[in-house]
């Protein structure tokens, strides 16, 4: 196994920057993107070959952590999701696949299909009609619910600098990949202000073993948060 991935407990893959509730949910970073008249980003899907290469790499490393297919996006909007889930489960059998969704496109039948394909847990963040969600998925042990409200991460970059010495596992404990193929710092860095490489031109192994990544990981493990944007962050990953 690659030494860097030995520290990794979660791999989060942003399949796209699509979300059906982006303009509705004012606390989500995508809301700023899609509701702003000055939006410069374009609708983007992570190329299939990059996702498949990622899964092949994790299989080669006998990865046994969590795999997710969302970071500020709605994964059920991606028609490739079932194929990716099936591929991940058949090639990386020890991995646990978790799907986070707002539940709008999720039916009981779809939830059962995803579970049969290999999804270990479906986490629903309902924004309304919570009772109807509870009734719809009653008895499905792999379906759980979490608050539909995000924390105050939109203010991450403007907070007073807080280098409080609290250890963090970024950027290796949770490896994050955005829909452009960039490997980033962590899911809190929603502007992707700190990235370490591009999977369109580099392999995941090359990126995770860069000196920059390893040095930052070692510093954060010691609670040294003098790098941007970590110096503004109170969270741990």
């Amino acid at each position: 196994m690659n030494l860097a991935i030995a520290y990794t407990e979660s791999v989060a893959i942003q399949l796209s920057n699509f979300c059906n509730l982006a303009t509705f949910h004012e606390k989500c970073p995508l809301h700023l993107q899609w509701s702003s008249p000055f939006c410069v980003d374009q609708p983007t899907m992570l190329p299939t070959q990059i996702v498949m290469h990622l899964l092949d790499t994790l299989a080669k490393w006998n990865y046994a952590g969590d795999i997710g297919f969302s970071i500020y996006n709605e994964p059920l909007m991606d028609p490739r999701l079932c194929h990716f889930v099936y591929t991940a489960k058949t090639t990386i059998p020890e991995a646990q696949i978790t799907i986070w969704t707002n539940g709008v496109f999720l039916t009981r039948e779809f939830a059962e299909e995803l579970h049969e394909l290999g999804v270990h847990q479906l986490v629903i963040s309902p924004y309304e009609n919570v009772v109807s969600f509870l009734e719809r998925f009653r008895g499905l042990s792999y379906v759980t619910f979490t608050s539909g409200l995000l924390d105050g991460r939109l203010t991450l970059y403007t907070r007073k600098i807080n280098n409080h010495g609290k250890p963090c596992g970024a950027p290796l404990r949770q490896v994050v990949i955005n829909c452009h193929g960039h490997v980033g710092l962590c899911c809190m860095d929603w502007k992707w202000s700190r990235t370490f490489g591009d999977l369109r031109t580099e392999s995941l192994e090359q990126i995770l073993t860069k000196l920059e990544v390893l040095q930052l990981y070692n510093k954060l493990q010691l609670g040294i948060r003098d790098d941007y944007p970590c110096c503004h962050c109170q969270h741990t990953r």
Side-chain angles (χ1 to χ4, degrees):
M1 174 184 286
N2 174 276
L3 290 179
I5 204 71
Y7 300 107
T8 302
E9 300 173 2
S10 172
V11 176
I13 305 168
Q14 185 186 47
L15 293 181
S16 73
N17 54 8
F18 308 155
C19 181
N20 54 305
L21 297 183
T23 56
F24 163 78
H25 189 1
E26 295 182 357
K27 291 188 176 183
C28 178
L30 277 188
H31 176 81
L32 298 181
Q33 176 178 329
W34 297 121
S35 64
S36 170
F38 307 106
C39 174
V40 295
D41 204 357
Q42 298 295 320
T44 304
M45 295 179 71
L46 184 64
T48 297
Q49 61 267 31
I50 289 182
V51 180
M52 299 302 287
H53 181 68
L54 278 169
L55 298 178
D56 287 343
T57 301
L58 295 176
K60 181 181 68 174
W61 292 341
N62 297 316
Y63 177 70
D66 187 79
I67 299 175
F69 291 104
S70 61
I71 310 174
Y72 308 121
N73 65 290
E74 173 49 56
L76 270 59
M77 293 181 70
D78 196 309
R80 307 169 298 171
L81 179 63
C82 289
H83 174 62
F84 291 150
V85 169
Y86 175 79
T87 301
K89 195 57 185 177
T90 53
T91 59
I92 322 166
E94 298 302 315
Q96 304 295 311
I97 302 172
T98 301
I99 300 293
W100 288 72
T101 174
N102 57 44
V104 171
F105 300 113
L106 189 65
T107 63
R108 187 181 181 92
E109 293 73 23
F110 195 6
E112 292 172 342
E113 179 184 358
L114 287 169
H115 184 59
E116 291 174 2
L117 287 171
V119 171
H120 176 256
Q121 186 178 33
L122 279 162
V123 182
I124 303 176
S125 300
Y127 296 95
E128 55 185 334
N129 300 322
V130 176
V131 174
S132 68
F133 277 105
L134 292 173
E135 288 297 322
R136 192 187 314 169
F137 302 105
R138 185 181 300 278
L140 301 185
S141 60
Y142 49 89
V143 176
T144 59
F145 295 85
T146 187
S147 170
L149 300 178
L150 285 170
D151 52 37
R153 66 188 65 195
L154 292 186
T155 64
L156 172 69
Y157 306 95
T158 57
R159 295 174 189 163
K160 182 179 179 181
I161 291 178
N162 186 5
N163 186 15
H164 51 58
K166 189 175 182 180
C168 181
L172 292 180
R173 184 176 297 160
Q174 180 195 50
V175 173
V176 294
I177 298 107
N178 70 12
C179 60
H180 301 284
H182 302 143
V183 177
L185 172 63
C186 79
C187 62
M188 294 299 300
D189 184 19
W190 53 269
K191 287 185 179 180
W192 300 90
S193 65
R194 187 81 180 268
T195 58
F196 305 105
D198 188 340
L199 290 171
R200 293 171 295 185
T201 57
E202 304 170 272
S203 70
L204 184 61
E205 186 169 20
Q206 289 174 320
I207 295 171
L208 295 186
T209 54
K210 287 182 177 180
L211 185 60
E212 176 189 9
V213 173
L214 300 176
Q215 286 181 336
L216 180 58
Y217 175 77
N218 289 331
K219 285 177 63 175
L220 290 174
Q221 282 285 285
L222 297 173
I224 302 172
R225 297 183 178 223
D226 54 359
D227 288 73
Y228 181 85
C230 304
C231 57
H232 294 280
C233 184
Q234 299 177 343
H235 297 270
T236 60
R237 283 294 179 266

